[in-house]
Amino acid sequence: MKLTDRAEEILESMWIAIEEEGQAFADLEALGIAADDQALQELAALGCITVGGSRAQFLPDGRVEGEKTIRRHRLAERLMMDVFNIKGDSAESKACQFEHLLNEGVDAKV
């Protein structure tokens, strides 16, 4: 599934909130995501998430896409830090940009 960069960023934020922090849902306001965000609507239209008020939850396809997105981000972070020796906020910023280039197949080679 090809998503916009913004939609991937939303999935990543939701993954951290729900899967890593153990929340039952993603609080859109707390994540700084407007309820009328076009990428949020994209994810809902594709059947990745459900949105109710300021809450969003994964649907099965969205959970899979969220896991793939977070994996690509973490691979990009390791690449920036371990291979390119870029540290700190700069590494995070570069990884955030680079993760969108890592599609299926390329991420497996990293």
Side-chain angles (χ1 to χ4, degrees), residues 6-104:
R6 176 70 181 140
E8 288 182 348
E9 295 295 330
I10 290 172
L11 287 178
E12 191 176 332
S13 295
M14 287 182 62
W15 180 269
I16 292 168
I18 295 170
E19 298 298 327
E20 294 180 10
E21 295 174 1
Q23 298 176 19
F25 57 85
D27 181 336
L28 299 175
E29 290 178 13
L31 297 176
I33 302 168
D36 64 348
D37 188 305
Q38 189 172 3
L40 190 69
Q41 295 171 6
E42 170 190 352
L43 290 167
L46 290 171
C48 291
I49 63 171
T50 59
V51 179
S54 67
R55 296 179 174 188
Q57 291 181 297
F58 284 121
L59 292 172
D61 287 347
R63 187 174 308 283
V64 169
E65 287 301 317
E67 184 175 25
K68 289 178 184 178
T69 300
I70 203 79
R71 180 178 183 274
R72 285 192 305 271
H73 181 83
R74 293 196 174 133
L75 285 171
E77 283 178 331
R78 299 294 358 134
L79 190 63
M80 293 301 133
M81 292 179 196
D82 298 344
V83 176
F84 298 134
N85 200 30
I86 300 171
K87 305 294 181 198
D89 290 339
S90 183
E92 174 62 28
S93 174
K94 299 288 185 219
C96 195
Q97 294 170 351
F98 193 76
E99 75 186 64
H100 302 291
L101 301 174
L102 293 175
N103 57 23
E104 285 187 51

